[in-house]
Amino acid sequence: MRATAGMPVAGIASSPEQHPGTADLVVRNAKVFTGDPGRPAAGAVAVRDGRILALGDDHDLAGLVGPATRVVDALGRRVVPGLNDSHLHVIRGGLNYVLELRWDGVRSLRRALAMLREQAGRTPKGQWIRVVGGWTPEQFAERRMPTVAELNAAAPDTPVFVLHLYQSALMNRAAVRAAGFTRDTPDPRGGQIVRGRDGEPTGVLLAAPGALVLYSTLARAPRLDEADRRTSTVHFLRELNRFGLTSALDAAGGFQNFPEDYATVVDLARTGELSLRISYYLFPQTAGQELADLRRWTQTVRPGDGDEWLRLAGAGENLTWAAADFENFAEPRPDLADDYEAEFEQAVRLLMENGWGFRLHATYDETIRRDLAVFEKLAAEGLFPAGNRWLFDHAETVRDDSLDRIAALGGSLSVQNRMSFQGGVFLDRYGAAAASRTPPVRAMLDRGLTVAAGTDATRVSSYNPWVALHWLVTGRTVGGTALRPPAELLDRQEALGLYTRGGARLTGEEDVKGVLREGCYADLAVLSQDYLTVPEEVIPDIESVLTVVGGRIVHAAAEYAGLEEAAPPVSPAWSPVAHFGGYARSDGAGQADAVAEFVAESERHRAWRAARSGAGPAPGPAYPVDPCLSH
């Protein structure tokens, strides 16, 4: 098992016949963290027929190498089980990925606007530029939002839509026209079209508190044709593989209709082209028709339908629209209808009677308590949970006594790092004490609850799982604000467990997924840096240099570039992804110098504004604050 110096890969990629007893793939010279308490570490992994064949050291596995075995030298790098995002809008994200200009990971607003300006030059007439989630002003050196004037200057003729968390969106003049907004356009329910003194829309949309105005406006932009939706999905899955993701639970969501919007991943599964294992849920789309949708689905499909690559998991993350407490932390907690429980109970009863599990969006404890009362009523009748898996998503403000009730009913939880991006506005509204345990992950684990981690990407948090792991470990926002005290933090192995074994437990796959053990799926990632030992501030910059799913190499970088399965070219050719890629790569020292320059420029700009006003140096943030976006 000796690899030639400078050549981290040996062996033959294909052979007419595999020798009995030998491996298809061996990853050697590695620091393997297995996630298996019975054997937590190894130096090499052998794979055959998509499963882990053996673990050990290089000498132990030497006898499994045959003439057709591909041997990969990990060069001493850390190897971990493939990551599993327990709440990712992967199907919807894939259908739109190549249309989006991603600001995820971009370190300065100057660079973000330059990307927008460059993209405007290649975007054809009739198309929009869409910046859709995964960023926050805190990540920028300037630590501020762009302004509508800056969007107009960067793209005077091309419609631009910039989504900011669940809070707001900015549109340039061309986008306001393309969306058909005029002084006579009424505000949608729960949202606001901000207007100037003349009554005309300014280009600012506010979720007040509902985000429908943001998403319905985005839905007015042109869609891809089916061929490009397929290509877009392939490239989004490869982008997720880039960070070591090998599985995800798709939480459905608004504007994701079944079965039409699922057709692309179904087709990719049929042709063996999925590079990510997906467990998916079904989400009623139209208020007033939820029970009809659920009834139709329970009569035509069943949880468990599919295979190890694509499988139906259940219903959710909404069952009825009236029970959804959407979380714009810049606004007060929404008041739900006093009587939503009657319809909600019918939905849950229908699912339980038909053997369907579910996941449920619930941000606030007030909502969770009302939902639990319904579950407890059904449990008293012997109808809940009836052997079905169920979980709450988000649960940012869940109280300890509610956690006890969840545990008593056999529930689980899926938590996301939305505080990485929304922690500042939550802190402003609810204070440091509440923010210190939002959500209370430590209390969940102390009760023995199954807890899984994810991102809720792509419209709020970034899909980069290492940003989420950084939050679990440090309790800090993307901008560096410390929210959680040491007692509320997880150690690195605990956090990784939520991102591997946790997601597998939610779907009942803990026997085959989430650990590296003989007989389990051969899903693993060779990391660019050692997650278990690098300084905390480096964790968000980790990527995978080699991602293996079911024994297939689906992502390869650094010394392994070119080993991955081929993917079609990005289409359409003008796509932002074709030119900028997805999540922004770190440029090391050069980028640090540039960030310092942007900070200094921002300070100079603040001093200039103060001098112009005659008020002297101004305290507070070194950036102008748009009153429409300050909370």
Side-chain angles (χ1 to χ4, degrees):
M1 291 184 63
R2 187 176 59 232
T4 304
M7 291 289 290
V9 182
I12 303 170
S14 61
S15 175
E17 183 178 353
Q18 177 65 287
H19 286 218
T22 59
D24 303 322
L25 171 70
V26 171
V27 179
R28 64 170 293 270
N29 189 21
K31 292 184 292 187
V32 181
F33 174 78
T34 68
D36 178 6
R39 183 174 196 163
V45 183
V47 174
R48 185 170 64 202
D49 297 332
R51 302 266 183 150
I52 302 294
L53 175 63
L55 296 107
D57 59 26
D58 288 0
H59 181 268
D60 295 332
L61 304 192
L64 300 176
V65 176
T69 303
R70 171 173 278 165
V71 180
V72 175
D73 187 339
L75 302 174
R77 289 189 171 99
R78 175 65 63 187
V79 174
V80 298
L83 303 186
N84 185 353
D85 190 318
S86 69
H87 188 118
L88 177 65
H89 296 280
V90 60
I91 293 174
R92 185 179 67 195
L95 297 177
N96 298 284
Y97 174 62
V98 300
L99 289 174
E100 295 171 357
L101 178 65
R102 302 300 306 185
W103 282 355
D104 308 53
V106 175
R107 303 292 177 88
S108 76
L109 180 58
R110 176 196 277 185
R111 172 60 182 155
L113 291 171
M115 293 166 66
L116 200 157
R117 187 177 302 109
E118 183 181 340
Q119 183 59 35
R122 67 171 64 92
T123 301
K125 187 175 181 180
Q127 284 289 346
W128 293 26
I129 300 174
R130 299 157 234 220
V131 179
V132 186
W135 68 279
T136 170
E138 285 190 57
Q139 78 194 45
F140 296 145
E142 300 90 338
R143 300 183 78 83
R144 68 171 179 89
M145 291 277 290
T147 65
V148 170
E150 287 171 323
L151 302 189
N152 287 330
D157 302 312
T158 305
V160 174
F161 179 94
V162 177
L163 180 68
H164 176 227
L165 306 176
Y166 287 128
Q167 298 171 210
S168 60
L170 301 179
M171 306 169 70
N172 67 349
R173 281 188 297 266
V176 171
R177 290 194 299 268
F181 290 153
T182 69
R183 64 187 304 146
D184 300 319
T185 304
D187 287 341
R189 182 178 179 182
Q192 181 184 356
I193 301 169
V194 178
R195 304 166 198 276
R197 294 187 181 90
D198 58 0
E200 296 292 338
T202 64
V204 177
L205 305 179
L206 296 179
L212 181 62
V213 63
L214 312 180
Y215 299 152
S216 61
T217 302
L218 179 61
R220 301 181 187 213
R223 289 162 55 98
L224 291 168
D225 63 29
E226 182 50 44
D228 283 341
R229 282 155 67 97
R230 194 178 198 279
T231 301
S232 179
T233 298
V234 168
H235 280 277
F236 184 51
L237 299 186
R238 294 299 183 91
E239 172 74 353
L240 298 176
N241 297 148
R242 168 188 163 193
F243 294 99
L245 280 163
T246 59
S247 292
L249 280 68
D250 182 85
F255 301 93
Q256 183 172 308
N257 293 293
F258 179 80
E260 51 266 39
D261 287 330
Y262 293 71
T264 298
V265 291
V266 169
D267 181 53
L268 291 171
R270 184 180 298 118
T271 58
E273 294 175 81
L274 288 180
S275 64
L276 188 85
R277 304 182 193 274
I278 301 173
S279 298
Y280 63 91
Y281 293 77
L282 303 185
F283 182 125
Q285 293 295 304
T286 305
Q289 297 182 19
E290 300 98 318
L291 291 174
D293 285 341
L294 293 172
R295 189 171 292 110
R296 183 175 70 256
W297 295 336
T298 60
Q299 294 170 356
T300 55
V301 292
R302 291 191 61 80
D305 285 354
D307 59 20
E308 65 189 57
W309 288 94
L310 183 66
R311 178 179 284 121
L312 173 61
E317 64 180 295
N318 261 12
L319 302 184
T320 60
W321 280 94
D325 60 353
F326 293 109
E327 60 302 319
N328 174 6
F329 295 127
E331 295 281 339
R333 177 178 61 84
D335 292 323
L336 302 185
D338 292 336
D339 58 353
Y340 81 72
E341 284 88 347
E343 183 186 33
F344 180 70
E345 179 185 330
Q346 292 182 62
V348 178
R349 186 183 295 271
L350 173 65
L351 295 173
M352 294 299 101
E353 290 174 344
N354 286 275
W356 275 59
F358 63 88
R359 67 189 309 155
L360 194 64
H361 174 110
T363 300
Y364 299 98
D365 184 70
E366 290 81 354
T367 307
I368 290 171
R369 299 172 80 83
R370 293 176 66 177
D371 295 347
L372 286 170
V374 171
F375 303 159
E376 288 162 345
K377 176 182 176 183
L378 294 176
E381 300 177 30
L383 290 176
F384 191 91
N388 301 305
R389 294 185 184 88
W390 71 276
L391 66 131
F392 279 120
D393 280 304
H394 314 311
E396 270 89 358
T397 70
V398 64
R399 287 169 38 178
D400 286 351
D401 58 335
S402 295
L403 292 177
D404 293 334
R405 294 167 69 188
I406 293 169
L409 290 168
S412 302
L413 294 125
S414 173
V415 298
Q416 296 76 46
N417 66 311
R418 301 193 301 187
M419 288 295 103
S420 292
F421 296 83
Q422 297 176 287
V425 292
F426 187 95
L427 182 67
D428 290 344
R429 178 165 296 281
Y430 296 107
S436 70
R437 61 192 310 268
T438 299
V441 181
R442 175 58 64 198
M444 297 173 186
L445 294 174
D446 287 347
R447 284 162 173 76
L449 285 159
T450 291
V451 184
T455 58
D456 200 10
T458 59
R459 291 182 174 176
V460 181
S461 302
S462 170
Y463 51 75
N464 182 348
W466 301 102
V467 174
L469 284 159
H470 175 263
W471 172 75
L472 288 167
V473 168
T474 69
R476 292 183 177 273
T477 69
V478 170
T481 301
L483 298 178
R484 302 162 71 88
E488 295 292 333
L489 304 179
L490 304 189
D491 68 41
R492 299 190 195 198
Q493 292 190 18
E494 281 182 307
L496 187 60
L498 268 58
Y499 239 103
T500 51
R501 298 187 305 276
R505 287 171 180 151
L506 293 186
T507 54
E509 297 175 279
E510 60 267 35
D511 291 338
V512 292
K513 188 189 289 187
V515 298
L516 299 178
R517 180 194 299 135
E518 286 86 349
C520 290
Y521 296 152
D523 299 352
L524 58 88
V526 182
L527 304 182
S528 60
Q529 300 179 80
D530 188 348
Y531 161 73
L532 296 179
T533 62
V534 294
E536 289 178 344
E537 63 270 17
V538 175
I539 292 175
D541 297 327
I542 293 174
E543 297 186 14
S544 174
V545 294
L546 190 83
T547 304
V548 176
V549 188
R552 298 160 44 200
I553 298 176
V554 296
H555 169 75
E559 297 88 351
Y560 313 103
L563 292 183
E564 73 277 12
E565 296 176 353
V570 175
S571 177
W574 56 266
S575 160
V577 172
H579 297 271
F580 299 111
Y583 193 96
R585 297 184 186 276
S586 173
D587 295 328
Q591 187 179 73
D593 291 342
V595 168
E597 177 188 339
F598 301 146
V599 171
E601 181 177 297
S602 184
E603 290 292 340
R604 289 194 297 272
H605 183 61
R606 180 169 71 98
W608 175 83
R609 287 170 56 85
R612 291 271 295 183
S613 69
Y623 53 90
V625 178
D626 186 336
C628 292
L629 297 176
S630 61
H631 305 283

